[in-house]
Amino acid sequence: ETGVTQTPRHLVMGMTNKKSLKCEQHLGHNAMYWYKQSAKKPLELMFVYSLEERVENNSVPSRFSPECPNSSHLFLHLHTLQPEDSALYLCASSQQRGPGRDYGYTFGSGTRLTVV
Amino acid sequence: AQSVTQLGSHVSVSEGALVLLRCNYSSSVPPYLFWYVQYPNQGLQLLLKYTSAATLVKGINGFEAEFKKSETSFHLTKPSAHMSDAAEYFCAVSDPDRDDKIIFGKGTRLHILP
């Protein structure tokens, strides 16, 4: 266990469904991230939260809606997704925003999403 | 902006042979560099990181990487491959122009041949 827990591990949903992905970290970190990992593509940063405030949204379609109710929890709400949204969605946390120099990210195991 | 390039999307080595995964970076300032590993159906795990303290960095599972400024490289090596090393490996750099956000390479999948 890395200290970052994602649920569910697998999710199959229809294009008209609404579902949510959950991420929880027990590391006392202040920044959390959502990444999308598709086959044959680099990791795509979707959202960044720092101290529960969204600080970055990388042109993600509105059918993805993040929520960060506190510094330990991060959600990704999904609605009317497309088949091309099928991917592994990874959550990560870091001690603070701008962690590259001294810290690095701690990742969860991801949610494998399939849109049918 | 900072970036990393990983040469070879797939690398195959025999068990017991040397592992060499290549990474070149582009950075306008002294970089902070990372290698992450992703095992099947798992998230990414930090293998090692370079933060200017020493050019040869030792990580977990017997891996190490050498920072070479003259070659703008940060190649990952392991003297003797083990079957359990089969995974995808990502080189990454922090981008000071983007609040030190970590930028990942496209990854190299390492296959270990028996």
Side-chain angles (χ1 to χ4, degrees):
Chain A
E1 292 297 325
T2 65
V4 179
T5 304
Q6 289 188 245
T7 55
R9 291 296 305 274
H10 300 272
L11 178 63
V12 179
M13 60 185 289
M15 288 190 283
T16 58
N17 291 159
K18 289 184 180 181
K19 296 286 185 183
S20 296
L21 310 184
K22 180 182 176 182
C23 177
E24 184 173 2
Q25 57 98 358
H26 306 279
L27 303 169
H29 288 172
N30 291 321
M32 297 186 77
Y33 311 80
W34 278 117
Y35 278 88
K36 177 183 179 183
Q37 187 177 31
S38 306
K40 301 181 180 179
K41 282 188 174 182
L43 279 160
E44 300 173 60
L45 178 62
M46 300 174 73
F47 300 104
V48 179
Y49 275 82
S50 177
L51 296 171
E52 302 148 42
E53 177 186 349
R54 188 191 311 180
V55 296
E56 186 162 335
N57 174 347
N58 284 323
S59 302
V60 179
S62 59
R63 57 186 183 269
F64 295 92
S65 175
E67 178 190 4
C68 188
N70 55 63
S71 60
S72 298
H73 293 86
L74 184 64
F75 295 89
L76 188 63
H77 304 299
L78 317 171
H79 63 97
T80 59
L81 294 192
Q82 304 298 311
E84 60 265 29
D85 297 322
S86 298
L88 181 67
Y89 288 85
L90 291 166
C91 173
S93 69
S94 64
Q95 194 159 345
Q96 61 187 32
R97 188 185 169 201
R101 294 181 178 269
D102 296 314
Y103 304 111
Y105 295 173
T106 301
F107 282 83
S109 296
T111 295
R112 174 71 62 186
L113 174 67
T114 303
V115 181
V116 298
Chain B
Q2 321 305 317
S3 65
V4 290
T5 302
Q6 293 183 243
L7 186 62
S9 57
H10 292 266
V11 170
S12 295
V13 301
S14 298
E15 190 174 18
L18 171 70
V19 175
L20 171 60
L21 303 183
R22 299 178 186 273
C23 174
N24 288 90
Y25 67 89
S26 168
S27 176
S28 57
V29 298
Y32 287 77
L33 296 158
F34 306 82
W35 276 99
Y36 282 83
V37 60
Q38 185 178 29
Y39 298 103
N41 300 313
Q42 296 292 323
L44 278 70
Q45 178 183 358
L46 182 66
L47 263 182
L48 50 82
K49 60 184 177 183
Y50 167 74
T51 57
S52 78
T55 57
L56 183 63
V57 182
K58 294 187 183 299
I60 61 172
N61 301 337
F63 284 93
E64 62 183 35
E66 186 173 7
F67 173 72
K68 291 186 176 180
K69 184 177 179 180
S70 61
E71 299 176 7
T72 60
S73 69
F74 190 58
H75 302 331
L76 181 70
T77 60
K78 182 174 180 177
S80 177
H82 191 274
M83 295 299 290
S84 60
D85 294 328
E88 188 151 21
Y89 292 79
F90 294 89
C91 183
V93 63
S94 64
D95 189 343
D97 295 330
R98 296 178 64 189
D99 296 317
D100 284 329
K101 195 169 286 90
I102 293 181
I103 308 301
F104 290 90
K106 293 185 177 182
T108 297
R109 185 165 295 278
L110 177 63
H111 304 272
I112 309 298
L113 307 174

